[in-house]
Amino acid sequence: MTLRKILITGASRGIGKAIALQLAHCERYHLILHASSEQSLVRLATTLPDNCVYEMMPCDFTDLPATDQFVKDLKGKHSDLYGVVSNAGISRDKALAYQPVKEIDELLTVNLRVPILLAKAAMKLFSKNGAGVFIAMSSCVAEMGNAFQSVYAATKAANTALCRSLAREAGVLHGGQNIRFVSISPGFIETEMTESLSDEIKEKYLHQIPAGRFGTTEDVANAVRFLISDDASYINGGEFKINGGLI
Ligand SMILES: NC(=O)c1ccc[n+]([C@@H]2O[C@H](COP(=O)([O-])OP(=O)(O)OC[C@H]3O[C@@H](n4cnc5c(N)ncnc54)[C@H](OP(=O)(O)O)[C@@H]3O)[C@@H](O)[C@H]2O)c1
């Protein structure tokens, strides 16, 4: 069986790590694991099953030339790429009026410029290979809005818009091929990203979640495992919500 090559960005911890572990246990994929540094990927590698086929591609996505090289290397070394889970992201919660421009630029770069460049590379490779799945990480705040996350929310909404448009574009340019662009939209998931929120804010969210609990990284990874598989071959373009009923 030929293993399908899947790039997972931000695989070192949180949601990305859970996705990497789930896909590793499927024994169907050759994983290309990304994080900002090699060090964090080495830690991840110790947790993977022995028979997992993987390689590491670290890159700090705030470094524009390094990111451009990363995309070039991806296309050069992995022309048989089957999937991308564009998961790496940052938050930087702050009132917009007081947010330094440097932070705004970082949010736009890591959360939006990078997914766009990866989607561009993926579309090229998928169309040559005749199939592929691109999964972008949005967030419930894209639809709900959230005070102190205006730029973050804007970048996340843009990821959904990107997938909706690219699904249509793939249909126009490469109709009949099995190329899919799907955005997923997690609710409140317990990771380092949400750890720093005050107990008061966490309590406020909890009251709004019909499931009565916060999401786990496995809740998101389960959805990704399904969406990347052939069982999801008719799911394309739209937004896939994983939020316990929050919205
Ligand atoms: N947690 C939630 O409640 C929630 C809800 C909705 C959406 N999301 C989205 O889900 C994704 C994962 O979130 P998470 O909670 O798992 O976050 P996390 O625990 O903070 O992990 C973030 C991941 O992104 C990577 N990353 C951060 N900055 C980077 C940079 N400059 N260059 C390259 N990689 C970088 C990190 O790599 P290093 O370890 O090397 O830093 C890490 O692997 C994000 O896109 C987030 O917006 C999360």
Side-chain angles (χ1 to χ4, degrees), residues 10 12-13 15 36 40 60-61 87 137-138 152 156 187 189 191:
S12 54
R13 52 196 163 90
I15 294 171
S36 66
S40 45
D60 180 351
F61 284 157
N87 163 77
M137 197 60 80
S138 181
Y152 174 79
K156 291 297 168 184
I189 310 297
T191 67

Side-chain angles (χ1 to χ4, degrees), residues 3-112:
L3 297 180
R4 287 176 164 174
K5 269 190 188 170
I6 312 282
L7 167 70
I8 305 167
T9 68
S12 54
R13 52 196 163 90
I15 294 171
K17 181 178 176 183
I19 294 168
L21 288 172
Q22 283 252 0
L23 297 190
H25 282 285
C26 291
E27 299 181 15
R28 179 140 186 37
Y29 303 112
H30 172 150
L31 302 181
I32 304 163
L33 302 169
H34 159 273
S36 66
S37 73
E38 181 149 0
Q39 208 181 3
S40 45
L41 286 173
V42 170
R43 270 198 305 274
L44 167 70
T46 62
T47 65
L48 295 172
D50 290 344
N51 61 352
C52 175
V53 180
Y54 70 91
E55 53 201 280
M56 304 180 200
M57 273 190 79
C59 177
D60 180 351
F61 284 157
T62 59
D63 180 337
L64 303 196
T67 302
D68 293 347
Q69 189 59 47
F70 175 90
V71 175
K72 222 183 209 174
D73 290 345
L74 181 73
K75 286 196 290 189
K77 293 182 195 156
H78 302 294
S79 57
D80 53 345
L81 190 72
Y82 177 79
V84 176
V85 183
S86 172
N87 163 77
I90 53 174
S91 41
R92 312 279 185 271
D93 300 359
K94 210 161 277 169
L96 181 61
Y98 302 100
Q99 188 143 41
V101 174
K102 187 173 177 296
E103 265 186 27
I104 295 172
D105 286 340
E106 266 177 23
L107 281 160
L108 293 172
T109 300
V110 177
N111 292 3
L112 186 53

Side-chain angles (χ1 to χ4, degrees), residues 15 19 137 184 186 189 216-225 242:
I15 294 171
I19 294 168
M137 197 60 80
I184 66 173
I189 310 297
T216 65
T217 56
E218 286 70 30
D219 289 324
V220 183
N222 286 338
V224 170
R225 177 170 43 79
I242 310 153

